[in-house]
Amino acid sequence: MIYLDSAATTLQKPPTVARAMARATSSMASPGRGGHKPAMLAAETAFACRQRAAELFGMRNPENVIFTLNATHALNLAIKSVVRPGDTVVVSGYEHNAVTRPLTAMGCQIRVARGPLFCPRELLMEFDRLMTEDVSCVICTHVSNVFGYVLPVEEVAALCRARNIPFILDASQSAGAFPLHMDEWGCAFIGMPGHKGLYGPQGTGLLLCGEGQSTEPLLEGGTGSLSLRQTMPDFLPDRLEPGTHNIPGIAGLLEGLQYVAAKKEQTILRHEQGLAAQAAQDLAGLPGITVYRSGETEHQAGVLSFVVKDMDCEEVGTRLGERGIAVRAGLHCAPYAHATVGTEATGTVRVSFSAFNTGSEVKIFAKTVEQIIKRR
């Protein structure tokens, strides 16, 4: 199989990830739930993972790294710590349902900063215009999961700092490929999955919490600390991590973080951008195909969308899958992005790359698309 769906989950992982998970399953218990060796080994592994994440993402305090189930869990924690029902919130026109559905459920007034695809200057101007005094929070994805568009999040963060508005960053498609500077950018929160660009297992995610940021638990329960109290601890990470930890997942995530740190984010990003540019060039020469690509490499990550004239995107995705090429087709849980670009009626076929993909795989993919078009 040629796997080109890493924007959903990276299937190919460093071999150390599976080995670490197997070791944890047989040798580690629950952190904070005992002074015996298996519990202590689990606690050491969890702290090592927090520490590595803090180092990678520019945080002084590893205790502000929270383990979550995924990016959706992380973003819900962030949103419900900052936003109150009915608040006015500004988001980009490229947000995922992990952001927009919680806001809708809370009855928030959602202002959408829309701008043409791959035009960060125009988008930034829209954020600036919409960020009035009544705005309680700004939320922005770093990279569109549909089009690979790199949004101007550093500049948006600067606007938020200047106006003292909490900023939540969705790093679902950027963590592991783009440098993130939590403390420098002054984010209230950054949410990310462990199973995408960090090369960890499914069922893992991280929430980075700003220094001194107030937080609200989604769940209450045992933490192994302050057990006489019937309220959640007021300190991190315990306040947001009730119940038994996913230690095999955390052990695997630690190895994924180690892989990214050793390989370097910039190296991974250049590799993925190069493959996306190659795929865009190969597809653009085929009849009846519209490719959504940026003319400037720095504005697009390793994610690429396209549509085939007079062919349903789901049909294209299915035919590719039958030929051993894994892609994603449809709306990608991001209707805001499709509404912004004008593809909500059709959706797109999306290919997304990881450090493990090769140029030869891209050539086979493009040739297969050509064959599908000819035989429709």
Side-chain angles (χ1 to χ4, degrees):
M1 172 184 283
I2 295 176
Y3 187 80
L4 304 179
D5 195 20
S6 291
T9 290
T10 48
L11 183 64
Q12 297 124 313
K13 317 279 188 186
T16 52
V17 171
R19 291 200 293 266
M21 294 179 70
R23 282 196 304 271
T25 299
S26 61
S27 64
M28 297 182 197
S30 293
R33 270 74 168 179
H36 48 75
K37 185 175 179 180
M40 296 303 292
L41 184 57
E44 291 166 7
T45 299
F47 184 74
C49 190
R50 294 189 211 275
Q51 195 166 38
R52 171 49 80 187
E55 292 168 355
L56 192 62
F57 303 128
M59 299 178 68
R60 290 183 296 274
N61 188 359
E63 301 294 335
N64 285 10
V65 176
I66 306 302
F67 296 123
T68 64
L69 299 172
N70 43 51
T72 298
H73 180 198
L75 290 166
N76 269 263
L77 278 167
I79 290 167
K80 290 165 186 177
S81 290
V82 174
V83 179
R84 297 293 171 261
D87 278 359
T88 299
V89 180
V90 177
V91 304
S92 82
Y94 295 89
E95 297 308 307
H96 190 278
N97 280 340
V99 166
T100 57
R101 282 182 172 175
L103 294 176
T104 300
M106 296 171 71
C108 292
Q109 305 300 310
I110 305 174
R111 293 182 186 169
V112 184
R114 298 194 189 276
L117 189 60
F118 305 123
C119 295
R121 189 178 191 84
E122 286 86 342
L123 182 61
L124 188 62
M125 290 172 62
E126 269 297 284
F127 269 107
D128 189 27
R129 185 180 68 83
L130 294 175
M131 289 167 58
T132 53
E133 291 183 359
D134 58 334
V135 171
S136 61
C137 182
V138 171
I139 309 174
C140 188
T141 187
H142 196 166
V143 174
S144 166
N145 72 307
V146 180
F147 301 103
Y149 174 23
V150 183
L151 280 69
V153 295
E154 290 183 58
E155 293 86 348
V156 174
L159 288 175
C160 290
R161 289 197 304 274
R163 300 176 193 190
N164 200 30
I165 299 174
F167 178 52
I168 297 173
L169 176 63
D170 178 359
S172 294
Q173 300 299 333
S174 62
F178 288 79
L180 302 175
H181 304 285
M182 176 70 181
D183 291 346
E184 180 184 329
W185 293 352
C187 300
F189 297 98
I190 300 179
M192 64 187 70
H195 62 99
K196 297 186 184 184
L198 300 182
Y199 296 93
Q202 290 101 319
T204 62
L206 296 173
L207 177 65
L208 313 182
C209 303
E211 203 64 43
Q213 178 64 49
S214 62
T215 57
E216 290 295 330
L218 287 179
L219 300 172
E220 289 80 29
T223 60
S225 59
L226 304 182
S227 294
L228 284 175
R229 281 193 188 180
Q230 290 304 293
T231 56
M232 291 296 288
D234 58 1
F235 54 85
L236 298 176
D238 296 35
R239 182 166 177 76
L240 301 181
E241 291 183 0
T244 301
H245 290 75
N246 174 14
I247 285 297
I250 291 168
L253 177 56
L254 172 58
E255 291 303 320
L257 289 165
Q258 300 281 33
Y259 171 81
V260 169
K263 197 168 182 68
K264 305 299 182 188
E265 293 154 311
Q266 294 88 340
T267 301
I268 294 172
L269 177 60
R270 284 196 298 269
H271 176 72
E272 293 178 358
Q273 286 175 323
L275 295 176
Q278 179 188 337
Q281 184 175 348
D282 291 348
L283 290 175
L286 301 179
I289 284 192
T290 300
V291 184
Y292 296 91
R293 60 172 174 171
S294 171
E296 302 189 36
T297 303
E298 68 268 22
H299 292 162
Q300 188 165 19
V303 177
L304 184 75
S305 267
F306 68 96
V307 294
V308 180
K309 185 179 180 181
D310 298 328
M311 280 192 76
D312 184 82
C313 66
E314 299 281 2
E315 182 184 354
V316 176
T318 298
R319 292 195 185 187
L320 283 167
E322 291 169 349
R323 291 160 173 80
I325 299 175
V327 301
R328 176 88 183 270
L331 295 178
H332 320 293
C333 302
Y336 274 46
H338 289 282
T340 298
V341 177
T343 52
E344 66 267 40
T346 62
T348 63
V349 183
R350 183 188 71 188
V351 292
S352 50
F353 304 97
S354 79
F356 291 93
N357 290 122
T358 65
S360 61
E361 289 179 327
V362 173
K363 289 187 181 298
I364 294 170
F365 155 72
K367 190 67 177 175
T368 306
V369 172
E370 182 179 19
Q371 294 168 355
I372 290 171
I373 293 173
K374 287 180 178 177
R375 295 174 184 174
R376 59 180 166 174

